[in-house]
């Protein structure tokens, strides 16, 4: 219902622009008539009325132009909406999963394939091994409800505060934020279908990445965002609420809640089916 209202409002706005353009044309015709005739500027209203009167035979055509413009724009917006529905319907659900003790696949952290939680502008220049204080790494992968594995690219992480502050610009200029990254982020990350019960070590090598989280407390509940671009070109965002425990010999993250969103016309929409 909201989208229909937006489509209607867009069509109205464009139609108003067309009407304004017609008004400008009539005003321009009036000034031109005054310039090439014996009428004076004081007789502007009279000349304008004559222009409108002489254009009376074209009134049906003008009305047709306005009406046609409205329905063409509205139909195009509806077409875009339907295309987006099809795309979203094919996306499937994506969720985050963290390595559990019973996972067979292991990988030593070496500062490669990392996604750093952006809290401020300096985090874009994160250098593994040089910024260890308050930063903790977690072995992370994506799960998908699709029957087959898909690839995600341009994966990023944002603190809740940073994302809320820059949300509008992130949605409209997402790749600009990706280009600011100087750390070795994963080019592509393969997702694991939820129907694949057993782990596959060869495939898991392309699924996991290291999520770098900044913490000032050893035990806390934290909200943050993970974003990625799907193979279908959909920009996804997953809002995470997790309990993090970072002791001397153990770092653990437990998911409490997560909600998947997607970008639609520079807005954030929850992914419902």
């Amino acid at each position: 219902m909201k989208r229909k209202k937006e489509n209607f409002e867009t069509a109205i706005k464009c139609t108003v622009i067309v009407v304004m353009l017609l008004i400008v044309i009539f005003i321009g015709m009036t000034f031109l008539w005054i310039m090439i005739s014996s009428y004076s500027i004081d007789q502007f209203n009279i000349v304008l009325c004559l222009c409108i009167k002489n254009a009376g035979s074209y009134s049906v055509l003008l009305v047709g132009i306005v009406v046609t413009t409205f329905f063409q724009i509205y139909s195009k917006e509806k077409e875009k909406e339907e295309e987006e529905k099809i795309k979203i319907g094919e996306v499937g659900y994506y969720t985050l999963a963290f390595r559990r003790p019973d996972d067979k696949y292991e990988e030593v952290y070496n500062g490669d394939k990392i996604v750093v939680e952006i809290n401020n502008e300096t985090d874009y220049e994160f250098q593994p091994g040089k910024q260890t204080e308050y930063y903790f790494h977690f072995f992370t992968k994506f799960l998908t409800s699709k029957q087959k594995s898909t690839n995600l690219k341009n994966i990023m992480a944002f603190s809740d505060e940073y994302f809320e502050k820059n949300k509008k610009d992130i949605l409209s200029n997402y790749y600009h934020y990706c280009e600011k990254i100087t750390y070795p982020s994963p080019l592509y990350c393969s997702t694991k279908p939820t129907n694949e019960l057993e782990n596959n070590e060869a495939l898991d090598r392309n699924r996991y990445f290291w999520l770098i989280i900044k913490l000032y407390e050893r035990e806390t509940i934290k909200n943050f965002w993970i974003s990625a671009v799907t193979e279908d070109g959909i920009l996804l965002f997953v809002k995470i609420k997790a309990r993090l425990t970072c002791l001397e010999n153990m770092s653990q993250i437990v998911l409490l809640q997560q909600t998947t969103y997607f970008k639609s016309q520079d807005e954030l929409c929850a992914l419902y089916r």
Side-chain angles (χ1 to χ4, degrees):
M1 189 69 184
K2 180 182 177 183
R3 182 59 59 82
K4 288 181 179 179
K5 184 180 178 182
E6 289 175 351
N7 292 343
F8 186 78
E9 288 176 350
T10 301
I12 288 291
K13 288 177 183 176
C14 293
T15 304
V16 169
I17 292 173
V18 173
V19 173
M20 294 297 293
L21 182 61
L22 292 175
I23 292 173
V24 170
I25 291 173
F26 275 110
I27 292 175
M29 288 172 57
T30 303
F31 278 114
L32 180 62
W33 200 342
I34 291 173
M35 290 173 61
I36 63 176
S37 67
S38 58
Y39 288 102
S40 64
I41 194 67
D42 295 334
Q43 297 173 301
F44 180 86
N45 291 341
I46 297 173
V47 177
L48 179 59
C49 290
L50 289 172
C51 287
I52 296 173
K53 183 178 179 181
N54 290 332
S57 57
Y58 300 100
S59 58
V60 176
L61 176 61
L62 295 175
V63 171
I65 291 173
V66 173
V67 173
T68 302
T69 300
F70 174 85
F71 281 106
Q72 280 184 342
I73 295 169
Y74 185 76
S75 298
K76 189 172 289 185
E77 290 296 317
K78 285 289 292 180
E79 188 178 329
K80 287 181 181 178
E81 181 184 344
E82 291 302 319
E83 287 178 357
E84 188 174 74
K85 280 184 180 179
I86 294 172
K87 267 190 173 184
I88 297 303
E90 296 173 349
V91 166
Y93 283 115
Y94 289 90
T95 58
L96 281 176
F98 299 94
R99 184 183 177 278
R100 298 179 302 181
D102 59 341
D103 281 348
K104 294 181 180 180
Y105 181 72
E106 294 186 13
E107 189 175 302
V108 178
Y109 174 72
N110 57 8
D112 193 19
K113 293 195 306 182
I114 62 176
V115 176
V116 180
E117 179 198 23
I118 304 299
N119 293 270
N120 51 57
E121 297 303 310
T122 59
D123 286 327
Y124 291 103
E125 301 174 358
F126 181 88
Q127 296 182 38
K130 293 187 178 181
Q131 295 170 293
T132 56
E133 189 178 13
Y134 304 122
Y135 289 93
F136 299 88
H137 52 269
F138 302 94
F139 216 23
T140 311
K141 65 181 176 182
F142 275 98
L143 303 178
T144 179
S145 63
K146 283 190 170 185
Q147 297 297 312
K148 295 182 179 180
S149 174
T150 58
N151 288 323
L152 296 177
K153 65 177 184 176
N154 297 103
I155 303 170
M156 293 195 68
F158 302 98
S159 68
D160 194 37
E161 296 78 10
Y162 185 92
F163 183 76
E164 290 300 330
K165 181 180 178 181
N166 300 280
K167 179 165 65 175
K168 185 176 180 181
D169 195 45
I170 291 173
L171 289 175
S172 59
N173 299 292
Y174 183 71
Y175 285 114
H176 168 70
Y177 286 83
C178 296
E179 290 169 356
K180 293 165 69 174
I181 292 173
T182 58
Y183 58 78
S185 61
L187 297 178
Y188 281 92
C189 182
S190 180
T191 60
K192 178 182 178 180
T194 52
N195 63 355
E196 185 182 310
L197 301 179
E198 296 185 7
N199 291 332
N200 184 314
E201 186 171 344
L203 296 176
D204 283 342
R205 192 171 289 110
N206 295 321
R207 290 171 175 167
Y208 277 103
F209 62 92
W210 293 97
L211 177 64
I212 311 296
I213 300 290
K214 192 173 187 178
L215 295 175
Y216 295 104
E217 300 177 23
R218 293 294 178 175
E219 292 188 73
T220 186
I221 292 178
K222 184 180 178 72
N223 292 323
F224 57 94
W225 295 78
I226 301 289
S227 57
V229 179
T230 72
E231 289 180 333
D232 305 303
I234 303 295
L235 178 55
L236 291 179
F237 292 87
V238 183
K239 186 174 184 180
I240 305 294
K241 182 178 183 180
R243 180 184 291 111
L244 296 102
T245 304
C246 299
L247 305 177
E248 290 184 4
N249 299 320
M250 180 191 71
S251 295
Q252 184 182 31
I253 182 167
V254 178
L255 280 171
L256 302 178
Q257 188 61 260
Q258 56 180 320
T259 307
T260 305
Y261 298 84
F262 66 96
K263 174 192 170 184
S264 176
Q265 296 184 353
D266 288 339
E267 291 185 4
L268 207 59
C269 300
L271 183 58
Y272 297 118
R273 306 301 287 274

